[in-house]
Amino acid sequence: MTKHYPDLSLLFHALADPTRRATLGRLAETPMPITALAEPTGLSLPTVMRHISVLEEAGLITSSKDGRIRTCTLVPGALAPARHWMDDHRTLWEARLDRLDAFVMNTLKEEDR
């Protein structure tokens, strides 16, 4: 059976939005101030801040403030629970599909007789 990850819903919710996924992609390259993250989106700074708070709540990024500049950093390994969940489910579904394939093949052999 699959393991239970309590924050998995937060993680998938954070990943569900294309703006947040793009933000994670940019942060994968280097830490960035929020103003730099907001530039290519065309979104207002308060809207970007809401996206940042969702990513922080999910544990995907951290932010630190130095004076008036808030810099965001990607958290290494934060996607591990999602990867583990998907791996667990892939294994489960592959086993089910293997059983279905065996059933269909046996049924076809019986019909050929």
Side-chain angles (χ1 to χ4, degrees):
M1 195 65 196
T2 60
K3 298 179 190 98
H4 176 70
Y5 300 103
D7 296 329
L8 202 55
S9 292
L10 290 174
L11 191 58
F12 281 120
H13 170 70
L15 294 172
D17 186 272
T19 300
R20 291 193 286 266
R21 289 191 307 270
T23 299
L24 289 174
R26 294 185 68 211
L27 289 174
E29 298 170 14
T30 185
M32 295 182 154
I34 290 178
T35 52
L37 291 169
E39 285 174 9
T41 66
L43 300 172
S44 68
L45 201 53
T47 301
V48 172
M49 290 296 295
R50 284 193 292 273
H51 284 295
I52 295 299
S53 68
V54 170
L55 292 170
E56 281 185 304
E57 186 179 342
L60 292 167
I61 66 169
T62 60
S63 67
S64 59
K65 193 170 183 179
D66 185 21
R68 297 183 74 199
I69 299 174
R70 181 168 294 279
T71 302
C72 297
T73 305
L74 190 68
V75 174
L79 291 174
R83 183 176 45 85
H84 292 305
W85 183 85
M86 287 185 274
D87 287 345
D88 290 346
H89 282 270
R90 186 190 70 234
T91 302
L92 176 72
W93 280 101
E94 283 176 351
R96 288 177 179 175
L97 289 172
D98 289 344
R99 287 193 306 271
L100 176 61
D101 183 51
F103 172 77
V104 169
M105 296 307 275
N106 285 337
T107 302
L108 290 174
K109 285 180 185 176
E110 288 176 7
E111 286 179 0
D112 287 344
R113 289 183 199 172

